Amino acid sequence: MTSLPHLSPAVVAGDQIFLSGQLAFGPDGMIGGDIAAQTTRCLERLETVLVEHGLDRSAIVKVSVWLTDRSSFAAFNQAYALFFGEQRPARSTVISGLAIDGALVEIDAVAVRRASWA
């Protein structure tokens, strides 16, 4: 039996929200799909956490990405660009192994409550 990770889905620090890394778990608790599908699922999961804090993807200002395979970068980037559209958060991308078998990508983010900038 796998224990739950010792982390918070998000931590609020003033106007910033730090979102923990998301893997492409589906409603069934399984990870599946190609890199594009997993990328989209990770980003949707991040947005779900943001919605719980009254925000959406437009609040994301920084993204960190871990990919397991350098050759999947182009397909990842295409799915990522489709999700964000004209929005272009700052981003770091690293090639690395991941803790869960079958995971091809993990994504975390930092969001800001923009209304407070006024």
Side-chain angles (χ1 to χ4, degrees):
M1 175 177 207
T2 303
S3 63
L4 294 175
H6 186 74
L7 56 81
S8 298
V11 173
V12 177
D15 289 337
Q16 297 180 336
I17 301 175
F18 296 84
L19 296 109
S20 291
Q22 294 292 323
L23 297 172
F25 289 108
D28 61 359
M30 304 299 291
I31 295 176
D34 62 13
I35 188 65
Q38 286 197 26
T39 297
T40 300
R41 182 71 185 134
C42 289
L43 293 167
E44 289 170 344
R45 287 173 53 90
L46 285 170
E47 189 165 41
T48 297
V49 176
L50 282 174
V51 167
E52 293 170 0
H53 288 85
L55 300 171
D56 62 26
R57 71 182 76 177
S58 69
I60 295 174
V61 295
K62 171 70 170 91
V63 176
S64 297
V65 178
W66 291 265
L67 297 173
T68 59
D69 185 351
R70 180 182 319 274
S71 68
S72 65
F73 180 80
F76 150 77
N77 196 55
Q78 185 175 29
Y80 179 93
L82 185 62
F83 181 84
F84 280 109
E86 294 300 313
Q87 180 184 353
R88 294 177 180 254
R91 183 178 85 194
S92 302
T93 306
V94 176
I95 306 302
S96 173
L98 295 175
I100 305 293
D101 289 337
L104 304 176
V105 60
E106 181 170 350
I107 305 174
D108 73 21
V110 178
V112 175
R113 294 186 188 278
R114 295 180 192 273
S116 67
W117 293 9

